[in-house]
Amino acid sequence: MVKRFSRLKYALETLRTPNSTAPAPDAPAGTVARKFQDYKAGKVTVSYTREASSKPGEILKVSILPFYFGGVAGTEAIVAQSKRADDKAELSGVQTQCNQVTVNAETHAKLSRFIPAKATVFDYGTATTSETSKITGIRYDKKAGNSYTYPFGANTTEKTPGEVRKGILAAVTALGTASVSFSDERYRGA
């Protein structure tokens, strides 16, 4: 389970008799712990409806220099990016910092076991909504907004993920109403 449920997991563990291997008894009906226990046991199915405006739409091809090859020209890899992210004009400065280049199908490679480093930008604006958790039944405030994912790579001067991340972070910070998270590049050579 994700970290946000660590207290509920602990609460369920405390229901168990000390030094016993027997499963924990059911939490009291109607409690947050019981709702979580039912979810964890698979008794409750949680589904979320994705709005049409949040779907990626067409998938575009862009090229990046993988960090794995040290940012050397001639090692460009073709990767996917959503048209929805590409069309977000307010994030064009972020996309520029990702060091994407136009695809050249003759010289750029499609690497089968390569997953590019990615920057996921959440453009949240200032609005918040109040929602109820489908897992615990607790009400919470949620920032309204959309996220956009950009693959990124090296360039001739920025050879490490840390160097490129600094530029992306600076571009996101300049927006004032967005945050960013990163995932690392993975490649299991040929």
Side-chain angles (χ1 to χ4, degrees):
M1 286 288 127
V2 290
K3 187 177 179 182
R4 72 176 188 240
F5 295 130
S6 61
R7 286 191 258 162
L8 288 171
K9 278 180 69 175
Y10 178 73
L12 293 178
E13 289 171 14
T14 60
L15 292 174
R16 185 176 304 141
T17 305
N19 302 320
S20 172
T21 57
D26 287 342
T31 64
V32 172
R34 179 62 174 268
K35 287 181 178 288
F36 178 72
Q37 189 176 39
D38 289 346
Y39 166 75
K40 190 175 172 191
K43 295 177 183 175
V44 176
T45 304
V46 176
S47 64
Y48 297 92
T49 304
R50 189 169 179 178
E51 294 178 25
S53 65
S54 76
K55 294 182 180 175
E58 181 184 352
I59 302 298
L60 305 176
K61 292 181 178 169
V62 297
S63 289
I64 58 166
L65 287 171
F67 296 108
Y68 181 84
F69 299 118
V72 177
T75 61
E76 290 88 350
I78 300 171
V79 296
Q81 175 178 288
S82 73
K83 181 164 177 25
R84 179 177 164 273
D86 192 59
D87 289 346
K88 184 68 175 171
E90 294 86 349
L91 300 178
S92 62
V94 174
Q95 191 169 358
T96 300
Q97 293 297 319
C98 291
N99 302 320
Q100 298 175 354
V101 294
T102 305
V103 173
N104 181 340
E106 294 178 16
T107 60
H108 300 175
K110 176 74 173 132
L111 303 174
S112 63
R113 295 187 289 188
F114 173 71
I115 298 172
K118 295 176 185 170
T120 301
V121 180
F122 181 62
D123 186 15
Y124 53 80
T126 57
T128 58
T129 60
S130 184
E131 297 192 12
T132 301
S133 169
K134 293 181 180 183
I135 297 171
T136 63
I138 297 174
R139 293 194 62 73
Y140 63 94
D141 289 335
K142 175 183 169 187
K143 286 189 180 266
N146 294 300
S147 63
Y148 305 88
T149 301
Y150 298 95
F152 67 92
N155 66 24
T156 54
T157 57
E158 298 169 325
K159 306 281 187 187
T160 67
E163 292 171 323
V164 177
R165 285 179 181 183
K166 284 180 189 176
I168 294 170
L169 185 57
V172 170
T173 302
L175 294 170
T177 58
S179 62
V180 65
S181 62
F182 298 99
S183 61
D184 294 327
E185 174 181 290
R186 290 180 286 165
Y187 183 57
R188 287 184 258 149

